[in-house]
Amino acid sequence: MVAAALHAGWVLVPRLPERVAAWIFRLIADFLWLRQGRSVRRLQSNYARVLGCAPDDPRVRRLGRAGVRSYMRYWMEALRLPAMSRERILAGTVAHGDEIMFKYLDRGQGAVMALPHMGNWDLAGAWLVHKGHPFTTVMERLKPESLYERFVAYREGLGMEVLPLTRKEGGSAGAFGVLARRLREGRPVCLPADRDLTATGVEVDFFGARTRMAPGPALLSIQTGAPLIPAALWFEKDGWGVRIFDEIPVPEHGTRQEKVQIMTQAMARAFEKGIAEHLEDWHMMQRLWLDDLEPRPAPAGGAAEAAADPNPPASGT
């Protein structure tokens, strides 16, 4: 049903006047916010963490409403994006610090772009493609398979190369090796990286508490020599904003694990800046900080020592 609804949305929503589509999705956002479902409450709890206040603070409620509206704007634009013109995307995107990225890409050198789940990730990808730099990314395999295939087709239609995080039967899909090869070929790699609660996630300080973030961006930079460049995304009134942060250098000394830790922490600091400046455009509706996780009951005959999150890692959607 979800796959069918998205397919219908990609057909019908582009046919609506943009103002009408925006009005409809804002109504949906306000309805969802008023219901205060689990995802909305989690979004507001995450905002409270960033602000350093209680979840029932009036500021958090206001930000929660703005955040749900921002998230539904993402979906409205995602359904319209395949029909959006190149000129509209380029003219509507305001980039700050993009010379940091393009000084590598324009001379045929790959770069690892790491992003939090902010703004319109797909539109920023289309903007990069229209600037002449098609890129590769990784996407979590969704269920049902038809939904995953529809999303892959959508993103490939925008000019991205999409690799599955896992194979159909489970296990590694060898995405890391392909990403490293693309970087050596001079292509950019773009990876959402603000949440990785698996056993391989790197612990970092983030807004005053501990969480885990993806080690992949730092590992790819260390292995290939491609620069690791964080970025942040947000919505403008009639367009979109992109901020490219300074490159994160590979430390000269230390083990690979120590270098990954240092670089991932620096990436988290860049994310903090981007999120704090445009908090309502950070669409983190899952548990993120380690002390927010719910312990999983111990299986019969054994002990469960690790706290686990019932929500899957974010996929970049």
Side-chain angles (χ1 to χ4, degrees):
M1 291 177 63
V2 173
L6 283 171
H7 178 74
W10 270 306
V11 172
L12 298 176
V13 173
R15 299 182 179 181
L16 296 173
E18 185 171 355
R19 289 186 178 182
V20 173
W23 177 76
I24 292 172
F25 276 78
R26 177 167 286 202
L27 284 181
I28 295 171
D30 288 347
F31 171 75
L32 294 174
W33 177 76
L34 286 170
R35 285 186 62 206
Q36 287 291 303
R38 185 176 65 177
S39 294
V40 173
R41 295 196 308 271
R42 174 52 51 190
L43 178 71
Q44 294 177 169
S45 177
N46 289 339
Y47 287 169
R49 279 275 195 175
V50 174
L51 294 174
C53 64
D56 59 355
D57 189 294
R59 292 176 297 167
V60 174
R61 293 272 297 180
R62 289 194 296 270
L63 270 170
R65 184 176 189 178
V68 179
R69 285 182 170 184
S70 174
Y71 185 57
M72 293 311 298
R73 175 176 169 176
Y74 160 78
W75 278 108
M76 185 271 290
E77 291 181 351
L79 295 173
R80 296 177 62 86
L81 191 50
M84 200 175 293
S85 71
R86 176 180 183 272
E87 292 72 23
R88 168 73 191 283
I89 293 170
L90 290 176
T93 302
V94 178
H96 306 269
D98 54 338
E99 70 278 358
I100 297 170
M101 170 180 62
F102 288 130
K103 74 178 181 182
Y104 292 103
L105 301 184
D106 288 343
R107 66 188 186 207
Q109 183 176 346
V112 183
M113 307 301 301
L115 308 97
H117 287 77
M118 292 185 71
N120 191 330
W121 190 91
D122 294 319
L123 189 135
W127 169 78
L128 185 58
V129 170
H130 290 319
K131 296 289 282 189
H133 300 288
F135 64 92
T136 304
T137 189
V138 173
M139 180 176 166
E140 182 184 3
R141 188 175 290 279
L142 305 174
K143 292 182 180 180
E145 185 70 14
S146 60
L147 178 61
Y148 169 76
E149 292 174 350
R150 186 66 183 86
F151 255 107
V152 169
Y154 157 64
R155 286 178 169 153
E156 287 181 342
L158 299 175
M160 311 176 194
E161 179 187 21
V162 181
L163 306 178
L165 184 62
T166 57
R167 299 184 190 276
K168 287 184 180 180
E169 63 272 16
S172 171
F176 186 90
V178 177
L179 294 174
R181 187 161 62 249
R182 296 293 182 266
L183 289 166
R184 293 190 178 103
E185 293 168 353
R187 290 172 59 108
V189 163
C190 298
L191 299 172
D194 54 344
R195 186 175 185 268
D196 184 352
L197 299 179
T198 68
T200 60
V202 178
E203 277 201 29
V204 295
D205 289 318
F206 192 55
F207 289 109
R210 301 293 284 178
T211 187
R212 297 193 192 105
M213 292 192 178
L219 281 169
L220 284 166
S221 179
I222 292 169
Q223 180 158 320
T224 67
L228 171 55
I229 304 174
L233 313 172
W234 64 91
F235 290 114
E236 298 282 356
K237 182 179 179 181
D238 296 313
W240 310 272
V242 179
R243 179 179 177 185
I244 308 298
F245 294 96
D246 290 336
E247 172 189 348
I248 297 173
V250 177
E252 294 183 3
H253 306 289
T255 64
R256 171 172 290 210
Q257 183 177 359
E258 290 169 341
K259 292 178 180 179
V260 169
Q261 171 66 45
I262 292 170
M263 296 175 73
T264 306
Q265 181 64 72
M267 180 182 73
R269 294 296 182 222
F271 289 170
E272 284 180 334
K273 294 177 183 177
I275 290 168
E277 291 173 357
H278 303 280
L279 182 52
E280 70 277 10
D281 292 325
W282 185 42
H283 307 146
M284 183 54 65
M285 295 186 174
Q286 300 87 17
R287 297 178 188 273
L288 181 67
W289 284 275
L290 299 184
D291 55 8
D292 282 341
L293 302 187
E294 296 177 347
R296 183 174 294 169
E305 299 178 355
D309 186 354
N311 298 302
S315 68
T317 298

